[in-house]
Amino acid sequence: TRNKKIPVLFFANKMDLRDALSSVKVSQMLCLENIKDKPWHICASNAIKGEGLQEGLDWLQDQITQSYQNNEQMNDQA
């Protein structure tokens, strides 16, 4: 089987709080930069207001679309 690079989306929620960490700081604390075998993205978000959610879902959709197109191209070449 082919190793699938499933995209991973992280939401850094509660960005409306005064003492919230930035999404960059959250990614550093979680050592997300160590994820080398798959695409990942972190979005600052506020689920109550819906902020950042669309951005994250748009990124995820783009990743899935790219993966599908790449697989189609690989199948066409085989």
Side-chain angles (χ1 to χ4, degrees):
T1 47
R2 205 175 288 157
N3 183 15
K4 300 219 180 213
K5 296 186 181 221
I6 298 171
V8 180
L9 173 61
F10 298 90
F11 285 107
N13 194 30
K14 302 206 180 264
M15 287 295 156
D16 56 316
L17 298 180
R18 186 170 28 104
D19 58 346
L21 298 174
S22 71
S23 57
V24 171
K25 188 67 177 169
V26 171
S27 70
Q28 290 171 342
M29 292 181 73
L30 294 173
C31 300
L32 298 182
E33 67 275 1
N34 292 336
I35 300 174
K36 308 271 190 219
D37 62 338
K38 60 188 72 163
W40 63 269
H41 183 68
I42 186 166
C43 282
S45 64
N46 176 340
I48 292 173
K49 295 180 182 178
E51 295 170 353
L53 301 179
Q54 190 63 52
E55 175 196 341
L57 294 176
D58 288 346
W59 176 85
L60 189 58
Q61 182 178 7
D62 288 346
Q63 291 298 310
I64 292 168
T65 300
Q66 286 176 18
S67 177
Y68 178 76
Q69 289 171 347
N70 289 341
N71 286 338
E72 287 295 310
Q73 289 174 355
M74 288 175 66
N75 289 336
D76 289 346
Q77 293 172 358

